Amino acid sequence: MPSRSDTVRLISCNLERDGGPEDSGELPTVWLEAMTKLASLNPSAILRQEMTHSPAGSRRLRAAEEILKMEGFVSPNNMGRHPTGMFLRPDVFLGAKQVPKMAPWRTPPTIVSTRFAGAPEVELLIGSVHHAFNDRRNRELEVGDATAYVDKVKGGKGLIWGGDFNEAPVPRGEIVKPIDWASPEITDRVHRVHRTVEVPHTLRTRVLHHLRRLRPGPRPRLAPRRVSCTYVDQTLLECGMHDGARYHAAMSGNRQCLGPTAGHAPGAKGQGGPQRIDRLFLDAWLTTAVINVEWIDMSGLSDHHAVLVDLSVRGMAQALRRKVNPHPNFFDLAC
């Protein structure tokens, strides 16, 4: 599905472990197939996660730039092992410069300051992120840092922010049902701790449990109630950012773009099933330029599907110049 000349195409892609290491000095077949597939989509920007074997200046990064015909950026690692990165078309995004960032991120985001060719007078920030997989508190610190970039939107800058959030979205409007973490099918207990937060039981549950404890026999224990973490999504939405897929589903009525992006690989067995953890956010003005959203099947190439968001060139220029009204805050809209 090549993009049109009047479209800016954004893609977020977590390529599992960067397609694997190089054996005998050859680039992995999986990696080459993935790069070729992404190139065939004619993207304007690719937000990459798990660029494990593509550090800055590496042969693989240069090879990706050649295949994609784009300029590549990669962040250094912190505690994580799989750095984030980004590829931009230099004729669409002008004068791109990387903004260094480390703490408090386990895997630092790749943040680039650039100018859209259709509105070169306005600074545009683009961030490729991969939130901590193992600690909700760390994710809360990370998204707290992300709001510092959202804050710059108030000064007239544009913001695109996407990647692997390692948390479920706020359930409202979603087609993927929330995970029942009390289900016996959830056998990965560590994953449950990574992705959930304890919340109080309902009054009805507490009363019924108390009555059961009054009966003769063993005294049953009320296990902690856990629900999926959605803090990252809720924070960005509350700040006025918008998930491109959720916006497009609401505007077009086509909800297929809200399908799960991860959790379908064999290694995810016992974790609750596929979830939509890869998302692309835009500020409230740029959101109005969204004209199409899809997810790209990466089966056989990665354990994540890619997310594709198309923006109108004209609409994007108008949004950056504030010639359109911002889309209302998600929590202010009627259900």
Side-chain angles (χ1 to χ4, degrees):
M1 72 186 84
S3 63
R4 306 189 309 258
S5 59
D6 60 350
T7 300
V8 174
R9 174 160 289 174
L10 312 175
I11 294 177
S12 180
C13 177
N14 182 338
L15 180 59
E16 185 179 14
R17 289 177 170 76
D18 207 11
E22 298 175 19
D23 296 324
S24 305
E26 298 293 328
L27 291 168
T29 300
V30 168
W31 182 87
L32 286 168
E33 290 179 357
M35 291 302 103
T36 301
K37 182 168 186 171
L38 292 174
S40 71
L41 300 173
N42 195 22
S44 306
I46 300 175
L47 312 186
R48 272 285 316 276
Q49 297 81 50
E50 298 201 15
M51 294 189 66
T52 315
H53 306 286
S54 302
S58 66
R59 181 178 78 120
R60 192 178 296 197
L61 180 62
R62 293 195 300 271
E65 290 178 320
E66 178 62 28
I67 294 171
L68 298 169
K69 308 302 181 188
M70 304 171 83
E71 183 179 5
F73 303 86
V74 183
S75 285
N77 257 331
N78 194 358
M79 293 180 291
R81 295 176 296 155
H82 309 291
T84 61
M86 186 185 307
F87 294 91
L88 299 175
R89 269 185 56 182
D91 60 326
V92 176
F93 298 104
L94 313 177
K97 295 181 180 179
Q98 193 163 351
V99 180
K101 186 65 199 176
M102 288 294 285
W105 295 79
R106 176 184 173 87
T107 300
T110 298
I111 304 171
V112 169
S113 171
T114 185
R115 308 268 171 165
F116 174 53
E121 71 275 19
V122 182
E123 183 179 0
L124 172 63
L125 294 168
I126 306 177
S128 172
V129 305
H130 195 171
H131 280 283
F133 80 97
N134 64 322
D135 190 343
R136 69 173 179 84
R137 295 173 182 83
N138 209 101
R139 291 193 294 271
E140 291 173 5
L141 290 173
E142 291 170 349
V143 76
D145 183 70
T147 64
Y149 298 95
V150 182
D151 193 58
K152 297 179 186 298
V153 174
K154 294 187 302 186
K157 297 180 181 181
L159 181 62
I160 297 169
W161 196 261
D164 179 352
F165 290 88
N166 271 325
E167 277 194 6
V170 171
R172 196 178 100 192
E174 296 292 317
I175 64 174
V176 179
K177 292 183 179 179
I179 295 174
D180 175 10
W181 293 100
S183 169
E185 295 181 1
I186 307 295
T187 56
D188 191 333
R189 298 177 66 90
V190 178
H191 182 77
R192 179 166 57 190
V193 170
H194 288 169
R195 299 296 174 88
T196 64
V197 60
E198 286 189 22
V199 296
H201 285 281
T202 63
L203 177 62
R204 180 176 182 274
T205 298
R206 295 199 302 270
V207 169
L208 290 175
H209 176 70
H210 177 70
L211 293 175
R212 284 195 294 268
R213 287 175 61 86
L214 296 177
R215 298 171 184 171
R219 297 170 65 85
R221 173 179 174 270
L222 184 62
R225 179 187 173 211
R226 288 187 170 271
V227 298
S228 294
C229 296
T230 59
Y231 184 84
V232 172
D233 197 48
Q234 183 169 347
T235 299
L236 291 174
L237 293 172
E238 188 66 65
C239 286
M241 296 290 285
H242 290 277
D243 174 353
R246 195 152 32 199
Y247 168 83
H248 181 66
M251 294 296 104
S252 69
N254 182 1
R255 304 175 71 202
Q256 295 307 307
C257 61
L258 296 174
T261 62
H264 55 274
K269 184 178 180 180
Q271 295 182 350
Q275 293 290 300
R276 194 173 74 89
I277 65 171
D278 302 83
R279 303 187 286 279
L280 266 165
F281 282 84
L282 304 101
D283 69 58
W285 285 267
L286 285 173
T287 297
T288 64
V290 172
I291 55 176
N292 179 54
V293 180
E294 302 176 33
W295 60 266
I296 307 302
D297 193 334
M298 299 293 284
S299 299
L301 302 176
S302 181
D303 56 348
H304 288 245
H305 296 314
V307 179
L308 179 153
V309 176
D310 285 334
L311 286 77
S312 156
V313 167
R314 181 174 179 271
M316 188 170 175
Q318 289 182 321
L320 289 169
R321 290 173 174 148
R322 302 296 196 258
K323 300 296 185 181
V324 295
N325 293 324
H327 192 62
N329 185 283
F330 176 79
F331 293 109
D332 294 338
L333 295 171
C335 295

